[in-house]
Amino acid sequence: MTEVREKSPLTVVGIGADGWPGLSERAKEALLGADVVVGSPRQLAYLPAGMKSEPWPSPLLPGLDAFLAEREGRVCVLASGDPLLSGIGTTLIQRGYDVEVLPALSSVTLARAKLGWPAEETEVVTVVGRAIGRVNRVLTPGRKILVLGANAEDLLDLLKARGYGKSRVTALSDLGGPDERVGPGTLTVFAIEADGTALPLTGLPDDAFEHDGQLTKRDLRASALARLAPTPGELLWDVGAGAGSVGIEWSRVHPLNRAIAIERSPERAARITRNAHALGVPELDVVIGAAPEALEGLSRPHAIFLGGGLTVPGVLDACLATGARIVAHGVTLESEQLLARAYGEHGGELVRVAVEQAAPLGGFTGWTPARAVTQWSKP
């Protein structure tokens, strides 16, 4: 990456579909005083004639730093609406630029105003540069959802696939401008009034996951997640992920949560990816490989779930070396012995979990036991 500029701050000006007339005096002064204004061709078309302007390079991100390094003097950047809502302002700050932001009303604010939806009751999902599967996480009956950056056909297909085909979907375009209308357009926000079957964020039923039997079942999953203690913004390693259920539920707890699923089977890894998309966390990272080798070079985790590969030499040691919270499950005598030894050396909590489910037994009902699982956790 080209070294970021150490010159005067970049000024990022949000501009709406109402163009130049809708800008504040401060925003106009910043643009008029700039030596160059950069933005997309659509945004630059809003400027008065005679202003020095240049479009961004295409593709944007690979050439962004070199492009800005070549610009001298005061540089203003145009963004749509709120530059920090899935906008270029966020990108520049994340890349280390000194940025002054002058926002306009966002498309989200304008859409809520038009619909009469309170901010406290509205979920906002952006799929700008991201997978449409992110919408799946927030689908709940009666929920008001605004989706940014979606393709209409893809969004409707997703809703049908999840059983939300009866949801009311409204497309709002070019909000705040003279061409504002209900229907798809240049800048479209999709408003969803969700109608379908609810899925909890955690404690998902086992049949919510595609799996081949290698699945941490709901009761054990709940016990593991309670001890993994997910906190917004934290990273989990799901080692020997199987169907990816623990990493997926960790990610569903909060949109800032991240997870890496490590799975040696390519077939299961592909299944994890499908589950992640279907359950609304398509950013879940899937690493194909066997631990401990596959753990090398991964971002340092805050928590680790060891659902498989526990008895492979070096796996538990590699996980302990991270200093992260750990929850490990064992079902064999060998893995139980290893967990008992870890408990003796490192403390924490060692429990044995046995789950029985009621099932028909002749003409009566009896208990069907599942295989007992030894669980060790270290905070």
Side-chain angles (χ1 to χ4, degrees), residues 67-192:
F67 177 87
L68 289 176
E70 295 168 358
R71 268 70 211 161
E72 298 291 338
R74 291 166 294 181
V75 177
C76 263
V77 175
L78 283 179
S80 294
D82 181 352
L84 297 180
L85 179 62
S86 300
I88 188 64
T90 302
T91 300
L92 292 170
I93 289 172
Q94 290 175 340
R95 295 172 85 95
Y97 289 91
D98 186 3
V99 174
E100 177 190 22
V101 177
L102 302 178
L105 288 176
S106 70
S107 56
V108 167
T109 299
L110 293 167
R112 287 193 297 96
K114 193 168 187 68
L115 297 164
W117 288 5
E120 299 84 356
E121 300 174 8
T122 305
E123 184 81 41
V124 179
V125 180
T126 176
V127 296
V128 178
R130 301 178 184 180
I132 189 73
R134 300 182 88 238
V135 177
N136 280 323
R137 179 184 169 275
V138 300
L139 288 177
T140 306
R143 197 72 183 270
K144 297 178 176 69
I145 305 165
L146 294 177
V147 181
L148 310 180
N151 172 277
E153 184 177 354
D154 291 343
L155 180 60
L156 294 175
D157 287 346
L158 177 144
L159 293 174
K160 290 178 183 177
R162 271 293 309 277
Y164 278 76
K166 294 182 179 180
S167 300
R168 182 179 179 182
V169 181
T170 304
L172 304 170
S173 302
D174 302 298
L175 289 160
D179 297 325
E180 177 180 291
R181 66 186 180 281
V182 176
T186 306
L187 297 171
T188 304
V189 177
F190 291 95
I192 302 171

Side-chain angles (χ1 to χ4, degrees), residues 334-356:
E334 291 79 7
S335 59
E336 284 187 344
Q337 291 169 356
L338 191 153
L339 293 179
R341 189 159 56 249
Y343 173 67
E345 295 176 0
H346 303 283
E349 182 183 18
L350 188 67
V351 299
R352 203 149 187 258
V353 184
V355 177
E356 299 185 15

